[in-house]
């Protein structure tokens, strides 16, 4: 009888009513308070819902769901069916939106469990963002954990280090215009038997198990006279590529923090591995600081890319003759930051075998001649003379886009077309770092090819 409701009713009765409008407002407050108490039992608290709503765009852009979903599953916030439903959505943005739609319906503990999962998966900057919003809604001092520092994600280029001792706020978290980032949990869609049967005859042979050898060479910690900065986020890139190439059926070799001389020697050793003879393809990914035409070793010395291609050409790597060789270069090709330009019309999106004989004397039974360099395709993170952008938390823009496209479209698209898709994603992305040279910066990837057939990766076919 003397509980919270009675006390509230006494306070309402003691309030002078100046007009019927004031009385209606008081009734509205009481009804809302009753609604809050009911939701507190069977649904998420309205303040928690509001905190999620106010940060919905940032969460949809930046959430990394892979491990986070497992934490929510463990805490009984989502079910196995819900996890599968979320992961069935195309792209990380769609998956994140689906989770954000589900959370308010998952009971009074869902918000706190979600915050704990963010903290446990090293996404505490998002937890801090939610708790700060919640404290504003409840008019109480924010927790100490809401102090933002330079550990927040920040766009930097591969040859220009970020300003030292820069103090960042939550607004400096970089985002992309389309709200899309790399897949939170890589899952490569398998090729169907029907697609394989209708495409394999015009494509490079890709049937070996494994499909080929892949080398991921990643330099993160640098020494030497060049004073090259630690590549924060570089570990995300090489981990992403290792997972992607394994899922695509490759046996992956990993090299970390190599000098220029070591890079050259170990690339030569890799190219001469006997296993290439029975494999159908090869991948080489180089992740480092760089300049036009070269990548840096951790000692600050350059390895020329032409030397890399020479190591794998038809003369020096006969085991890979007539087999497709893929190269992916995540490094700057200059130090110019692409500032971008405004579209003239102001719109956000624009519409988008035989053998030739010579009359000059023929000899029978001669071996087929090959060009010195053929059957290669190389994807570059940026254009000649420009800088490649890397997010200090989520890795480089290019590797993020590459992993997203290859995981979703390798099942039905050849590599050259997938790299066009990567170009489209990179074109739409834009840096967000107010007050720095990287605000609204752009990047444009490209590729060059001497492939002579379509290169389909045919993931999962034939089934193992």
């Amino acid at each position: 009888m003397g509980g919270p409701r009675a006390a509230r009713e006494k306070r309402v009765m003691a309030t002078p009513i100046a007009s019927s409008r004031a009385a209606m407002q008081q009734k509205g407050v009481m009804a809302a308070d009753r609604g809050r108490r009911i939701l507190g039992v069977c649904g998420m608290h309205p303040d928690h819902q509001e905190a999620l709503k106010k940060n919905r765009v940032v969460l949809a852009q930046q959430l990394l769901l892979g491990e986070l979903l497992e934490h929510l599953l463990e805490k009984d916030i989502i079910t196995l069916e819900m996890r599968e439903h979320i992961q069935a959505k195309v792209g990380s943005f769609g998956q994140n939106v689906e989770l954000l739609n589900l959370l308010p319906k998952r009971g009074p503990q869902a918000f706190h469990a979600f915050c704990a999962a963010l903290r446990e998966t090293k996404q505490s900057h998002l937890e801090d963002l939610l708790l700060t919003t919640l404290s504003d809604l409840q008019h109480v001092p924010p927790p100490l954990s809401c102090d933002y520092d330079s550990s927040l994600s920040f766009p930097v280029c591969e040859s220009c280090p970020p300003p030292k001792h820069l103090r960042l706020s939550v607004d400096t978290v970089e985002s992309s215009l389309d709200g899309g980032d790399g897949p939170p949990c890589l899952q490569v869609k398998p090729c169907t038997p029907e697609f394989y049967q209708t495409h394999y005859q015009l494509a490079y042979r890709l049937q070996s198990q494994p499909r080929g050898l892949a080398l991921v060479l990643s330099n993160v910690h640098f020494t030497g006279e060049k004073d090259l900065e630690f590549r924060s986020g570089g570990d995300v890139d090489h981990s992403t590529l290792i997972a992607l190439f394994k899922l695509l059926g490759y046996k992956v070799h990993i090299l970390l923090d190599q000098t220029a001389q070591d890079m050259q020697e170990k690339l030569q050793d890799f190219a001469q591995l006997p296993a290439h003879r029975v494999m159908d393809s090869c991948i080489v990914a180089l992740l480092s600081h760089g300049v036009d035409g070269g990548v840096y070793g951790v000692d600050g010395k350059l390895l020329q890319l032409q030397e890399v291609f020479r190591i794998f050409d038809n003369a020096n790597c006969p085991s890979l003759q007539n087999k497709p060789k893929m190269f992916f270069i995540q490094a700057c090709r200059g130090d110019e930051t692409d500032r971008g330009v405004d579209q003239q019309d102001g719109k956000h999106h624009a519409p988008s075998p035989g053998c030739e004989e010579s009359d000059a004397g023929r000899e029978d039974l001669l071996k087929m001649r090959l060009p010195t360099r053929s059957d290669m395709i190389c994807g570059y993170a940026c254009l000649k003379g420009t800088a490649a952008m890397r997010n200090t938390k989520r890795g480089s823009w290019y590797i993020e886009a590459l992993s997203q496209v290859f995981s979703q479209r390798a099942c039905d698209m050849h590599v050259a077309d997938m790299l066009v898709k990567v170009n489209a994603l990179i074109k739409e992305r834009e840096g967000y770092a107010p007050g720095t040279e990287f605000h609204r910066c752009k990047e444009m990837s490209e590729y060059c090819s001497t492939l002579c057939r379509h290169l389909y990766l045919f993931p999962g076919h034939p089934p193992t």
Side-chain angles (χ1 to χ4, degrees):
M1 293 294 291
R5 180 174 179 181
R8 184 164 56 253
E9 287 172 349
K10 286 178 182 178
R11 287 197 299 272
V12 172
M13 290 175 65
T15 303
I17 301 176
S19 64
S20 59
R21 180 179 177 183
M24 290 177 65
Q25 288 175 337
Q26 284 285 8
K27 289 179 181 177
V29 170
M30 292 173 64
D33 193 49
R34 283 197 299 272
R36 287 190 175 203
R37 289 189 293 109
I38 293 170
L39 282 170
V41 174
C42 61
M44 182 179 283
H45 191 286
D47 286 347
H48 296 164
Q49 293 187 43
E50 188 67 15
L52 289 171
K53 181 180 175 183
K54 285 182 177 293
N55 296 290
R56 185 177 176 88
V57 173
V58 173
L59 291 169
Q61 290 173 340
Q62 298 186 18
L63 275 174
L64 301 175
L65 290 192
E67 185 183 345
L68 186 138
L69 289 180
E70 300 306 314
H71 283 279
L72 294 178
L73 189 63
E74 185 181 84
K75 300 175 195 296
D76 292 324
I77 300 302
I78 62 171
T79 64
L80 283 169
E81 292 77 11
M82 289 175 181
R83 183 184 66 177
E84 293 172 0
H85 185 67
I86 291 168
Q87 292 176 338
K89 297 295 179 181
V90 177
S92 63
F93 189 78
Q95 293 175 358
N96 292 345
V97 167
E98 189 62 28
L99 174 63
L100 294 173
N101 289 340
L102 276 173
L103 279 176
K105 307 169 187 175
R106 301 305 300 160
Q109 300 304 315
F111 181 83
H112 295 298
F114 180 56
C115 287
L118 288 172
R119 187 166 59 253
E120 291 160 356
T121 57
K122 298 182 181 179
Q123 301 180 70
S124 55
H125 64 288
L126 295 178
E127 179 201 14
D128 292 343
L129 189 59
L130 288 171
L131 295 179
T132 300
T133 304
L134 185 61
S135 71
D136 291 340
L137 291 171
Q138 297 176 339
H139 307 291
V140 298
L144 293 176
S145 60
C146 292
D147 290 334
Y148 292 91
D149 59 22
S150 57
S151 65
L152 286 175
S153 56
F154 185 68
V156 297
C157 71
E158 291 289 15
S159 60
C160 307
K164 293 181 180 180
H165 309 302
L166 180 64
R167 189 76 173 171
L168 302 178
S169 71
V170 67
D171 292 330
T172 60
V173 176
E174 168 239 342
S175 63
S176 60
L177 287 179
D178 60 0
D181 297 315
C185 182
L186 283 177
Q187 292 181 317
V188 172
K189 294 182 180 178
C191 163
T192 64
E194 294 77 16
F195 183 86
Y196 177 80
Q197 288 299 327
T198 55
H199 288 80
Y200 82 95
Q201 289 182 325
L202 297 178
Y204 282 101
R205 182 185 187 277
L206 237 71
Q207 297 177 355
S208 63
Q209 299 290 346
R211 289 288 192 258
L213 303 183
L215 174 65
V216 177
L217 197 161
S218 175
N219 292 335
V220 176
H221 304 88
F222 291 81
T223 59
E225 297 177 358
K226 286 287 183 181
D227 195 28
L228 296 168
E229 289 284 332
F230 166 68
R231 293 181 63 250
S232 180
D235 56 332
V236 178
D237 283 347
H238 63 241
S239 296
T240 297
L241 288 183
I242 290 166
L244 176 67
F245 296 157
K246 285 182 177 179
L247 289 170
L248 289 171
Y250 287 81
K251 182 178 180 181
V252 182
H253 295 240
I254 306 153
L255 289 172
L256 302 178
D257 293 339
Q258 303 291 306
T259 66
Q261 182 66 32
D262 287 341
M263 289 167 69
Q264 181 171 352
E265 292 176 356
K266 291 179 181 178
L267 281 165
Q268 289 174 332
D269 292 342
F270 176 76
Q272 298 305 314
L273 289 174
H276 287 302
R277 296 173 192 162
V278 294
M279 303 294 180
D280 288 341
S281 62
C282 175
I283 298 177
V284 175
L286 303 179
L287 318 173
S288 188
H289 288 301
V291 296
D292 183 31
V295 292
Y296 283 109
V298 294
D299 55 351
K301 296 181 180 180
L302 277 173
L303 172 65
Q304 297 296 327
L305 288 177
Q306 289 303 315
E307 175 62 17
V308 176
F309 300 141
R310 186 195 68 79
I311 290 171
F312 290 88
D313 68 21
N314 292 323
N316 292 288
C317 188
S319 296
L320 289 172
Q321 286 181 359
N322 296 312
K323 299 176 183 179
K325 297 163 279 286
M326 292 166 271
F327 299 86
F328 302 105
I329 314 298
Q330 172 55 46
C332 282
R333 301 173 74 188
D335 56 8
E336 182 179 337
T337 302
D338 188 344
R339 305 306 306 164
V341 296
D342 292 330
Q343 254 184 234
Q344 281 295 93
D345 59 8
K347 292 180 181 177
H348 179 62
H349 291 286
S352 262
C355 180
E356 189 173 294
E357 291 185 355
S358 167
D359 292 334
R362 215 171 25 136
E363 293 184 53
D364 294 330
L365 302 177
L366 284 179
K367 289 185 177 180
M368 174 76 74
R369 297 286 289 175
L370 291 173
T372 303
R373 188 175 299 172
S374 65
D375 306 291
M376 293 182 176
I377 187 166
C378 182
Y380 294 93
C382 57
L383 302 179
K384 182 177 179 179
T386 65
M389 305 308 295
R390 171 173 35 85
N391 184 278
T392 56
K393 286 290 184 183
R394 301 195 304 277
S396 67
W397 294 8
Y398 182 65
I399 300 302
E400 214 174 350
L402 190 80
S403 63
Q404 179 179 337
V405 172
F406 275 54
S407 63
Q408 295 174 2
R409 299 306 305 270
C411 60
D412 61 2
M413 187 175 285
H414 60 76
V415 169
D417 277 358
M418 285 195 287
L419 290 178
V420 171
K421 288 282 187 185
V422 170
N423 287 351
L425 287 180
I426 296 296
K427 177 185 174 184
E428 293 301 315
R429 192 156 184 176
E430 181 171 312
Y432 184 77
T436 77
E437 64 175 306
F438 304 111
H439 187 48
R440 301 209 68 189
C441 64
K442 301 291 290 184
E443 177 179 308
M444 190 63 232
S445 55
E446 68 172 346
Y447 74 93
C448 61
S449 174
T450 58
L451 293 181
C452 304
R453 290 184 154 217
H454 289 324
L455 174 51
Y456 289 100
L457 301 181
F458 298 128
H461 188 85
T464 54

